[in-house]
Amino acid sequence: MLVCIPDVLTPDEVAYCRKVLDGAGWVDGKVTAGEQSAKAKYNLQVPEHSDESKELGQIVLKALGRNPTFTSAALPLRVYPPLFNRYDKGMNFHAHVDNAIRALPGTGFRIRTDVSSTLFLSDPEDYDGGELVIQDTYGTQTVKLPAGHMVVYPSTSLHSVNPVTRGSRWASFFWSQSLVKDDSKRALLYNFDLSIIETRKALPDDHPAVLGLTATYHNLVRQWAEI
Ligand code: NI
């Protein structure tokens, strides 16, 4: 399941992130790539232990915490500290699958990557190319969103970034370990949650249908969640 979430960051937060990233020390993106993907990856990243990554990562994590759509779609148990990358003219990332397990060097932090997220920090008119291409269960999806918007997709997907032919594409990306590792179960819960939201608009909160659906949602999460 692929979900696009608008306005994860405010325009002010995007502008601040871009200002800090402008002064950051960018390095070759191969530093966080696995063996196969290192051969496929041509981009720049901000080092994950840098002050810039840490500060901006906190802004992104805070934004995720206030976003009910991210919570409902990803059902996050743990989120890897957000990373920041950029594709200048001529850069791209060929098709690959991200590593299943991600460990933060020098810490005991380790997650299984269930859900991948890309939070766009450049507006589409600032660059040509640079689309994120995701091979989803329902076919190939091409994603290019306004700055501050984010796409969430299963980490099991083969994905690539098309070559940038003009300008520069900046983004934050990160992985989440989900309470529910199976994407099809997560998709059911997400659609269930959306239906409950619609039902609550039409019926009072103490209506038996609202109570029953809400109870069933939570009991399904209880059945499927792994903590
Ligand atoms: Ni990737």
Side-chain angles (χ1 to χ4, degrees):
M1 175 187 61
L2 185 152
V3 180
C4 293
I5 309 176
D7 304 318
V8 172
L9 292 183
T10 66
D12 282 352
E13 286 170 329
V14 171
Y16 182 74
C17 288
R18 290 189 57 94
K19 197 177 94 183
V20 172
L21 289 173
D22 208 24
W26 296 86
V27 298
D28 192 324
K30 292 188 201 300
V31 287
T32 56
E35 204 177 323
Q36 185 273 331
S37 53
K39 290 178 191 149
K41 189 174 185 184
Y42 302 95
N43 70 0
L44 298 172
Q45 267 176 219
V46 177
E48 54 189 328
H49 288 301
S50 66
D51 291 343
E52 291 89 349
S53 273
K54 286 180 191 159
E55 186 197 352
L56 300 183
Q58 285 304 317
I59 293 175
V60 174
L61 290 175
K62 220 164 123 188
L64 297 180
R66 65 179 185 233
N67 194 297
T69 308
F70 174 73
T71 304
S72 177
L75 293 169
L77 172 64
R78 296 188 196 100
V79 179
Y80 194 87
L83 297 165
F84 297 85
N85 66 9
R86 86 189 235 197
Y87 294 78
D88 291 344
K89 192 179 168 187
M91 294 182 179
N92 72 320
F93 201 160
H94 295 297
H96 65 283
V97 168
D98 297 338
N99 286 358
I101 306 294
R102 202 99 226 172
L104 192 64
T107 70
F109 188 84
R110 202 163 67 130
I111 67 164
R112 182 187 64 233
T113 56
D114 295 322
V115 179
S116 299
S117 303
T118 295
L119 170 56
F120 288 79
L121 295 173
S122 298
D123 272 316
E125 51 271 24
D126 292 343
Y127 60 100
D128 291 330
E131 299 87 358
L132 176 61
V133 181
I134 301 163
Q135 295 186 24
D136 190 34
T137 339
Y138 301 105
T140 301
Q141 314 272 335
T142 300
V143 183
K144 186 170 183 173
L145 300 175
H149 295 211
M150 181 168 87
V151 60
V152 171
Y153 60 98
S155 301
T156 47
S157 317
L158 204 57
H159 58 280
S160 57
V161 176
N162 284 343
V164 168
T165 56
R166 177 189 63 87
S168 184
R169 171 206 196 265
W170 296 15
S172 175
F173 66 103
F174 54 90
W175 301 272
S176 305
Q177 179 168 334
S178 180
L179 290 162
V180 177
K181 74 175 166 192
D182 184 320
D183 175 57
S184 61
K185 287 180 178 163
R186 272 200 315 275
L188 274 174
L189 289 170
Y190 178 63
N191 287 312
F192 198 158
D193 192 29
L194 290 181
S195 297
I196 291 174
I197 290 168
E198 288 308 311
T199 308
R200 288 181 64 194
K201 284 182 193 162
L203 296 173
D205 268 356
D206 60 354
H207 191 284
V210 175
L211 290 173
L213 289 172
T214 307
T216 306
Y217 173 84
H218 286 289
N219 289 333
L220 274 177
V221 173
R222 215 184 314 275
Q223 286 274 328
W224 291 340
E226 293 173 87
I227 295 182

